[in-house]
Amino acid sequence: MDDLLSRRLFLIGSGTTLLLAGCSVTSTLAPIESGTSADMTDAALPMVNSARRKQGKSGLFNDPVAANAAKDQAIRMSRYGKMRHDLGNDRNFLVRMKRLEVPLPAAENIATGQDSTEEAIAAWIHSKKHLENMLGSYTGLGVAVAKNTGTGDRPYWAMVLSNSPSRFSLRS
């Protein structure tokens, strides 16, 4: 990715963050208690779809199956205190996606330490590989965060992109 595109995506992410900061709904983690998780797909969709549309891609749908898989992964990372795709018995991404009934092909982005959905999405936008996943040929999206007192209440984020049927509602 060239520097101009990187700068444009940064500005898109920054502008989206500023735009969302003025909204009455916030996605900060204050209400998320330690040892719990939350589906953050609705908060993430406008930012992800904005980045996709800037690249001529169609918007994604809220996929509850992908959201469940994202929640599963965020919880697993928070329990282990590690940001990794391959934790515990589910060391193979495709096996895990099949177990969770995520329509394939699928992709997963993970992150840790961000205190809001906006920060997590911005981190993924600024990472070439994660951005490639977000701009891929997918239709469904699920995003979740989990915290665990055993891991210092550090937030662990997971995004699952899927080829979900279009029966789910589009949110932009």
Side-chain angles (χ1 to χ4, degrees), residues 52 57-58 60 130-139 161:
R52 288 178 60 87
K57 307 283 183 177
S58 60
L60 300 175
H130 294 105
L131 179 60
E132 286 175 10
N133 282 346
M134 290 168 50
L135 297 177
S137 297
Y138 302 107
T139 57
L161 299 124

Side-chain angles (χ1 to χ4, degrees), residues 1-20 46-47 50-51 54-55 118 121-123 125-127 131:
M1 182 180 333
D2 64 85
D3 286 332
L4 181 58
L5 180 57
S6 293
R7 280 182 267 171
R8 285 183 180 164
L9 289 172
F10 173 77
L11 291 173
I12 291 167
S14 299
T16 302
T17 300
L18 290 173
L19 176 66
L20 290 173
M47 293 174 277
S50 176
K54 297 285 184 192
Q55 297 299 315
E118 293 83 2
I121 299 299
I125 285 174
H126 292 100
S127 164
L131 179 60

Side-chain angles (χ1 to χ4, degrees), residues 41-156:
T41 308
D42 285 339
L45 269 170
M47 293 174 277
V48 173
N49 284 341
S50 176
R52 288 178 60 87
R53 288 190 179 112
K54 297 285 184 192
Q55 297 299 315
K57 307 283 183 177
S58 60
L60 300 175
F61 295 88
N62 181 333
D63 177 0
V65 176
N68 182 57
K71 190 173 180 180
D72 178 78
Q73 178 63 12
I75 290 169
R76 287 162 20 93
M77 291 188 301
S78 75
R79 285 184 182 154
Y80 283 91
K82 296 179 182 177
M83 187 184 75
R84 294 184 53 163
H85 295 279
D86 59 345
L87 294 167
N89 295 330
D90 285 335
R91 296 194 176 272
N92 182 297
F93 172 74
L94 290 177
V95 170
R96 182 164 37 94
M97 291 299 105
K98 286 180 182 180
R99 176 179 61 80
L100 296 168
E101 300 179 357
V102 175
L104 299 174
E108 179 176 74
N109 289 343
I110 58 176
T112 187
Q114 294 80 8
D115 289 324
S116 68
T117 307
E118 293 83 2
E119 289 178 17
I121 299 299
W124 288 322
I125 285 174
H126 292 100
S127 164
K128 182 179 179 181
K129 180 64 179 163
H130 294 105
L131 179 60
E132 286 175 10
N133 282 346
M134 290 168 50
L135 297 177
S137 297
Y138 302 107
T139 57
L141 178 73
V143 177
V145 62
K147 294 169 82 175
N148 185 329
T149 53
T151 58
D153 280 345
R154 185 173 183 82
Y156 288 87

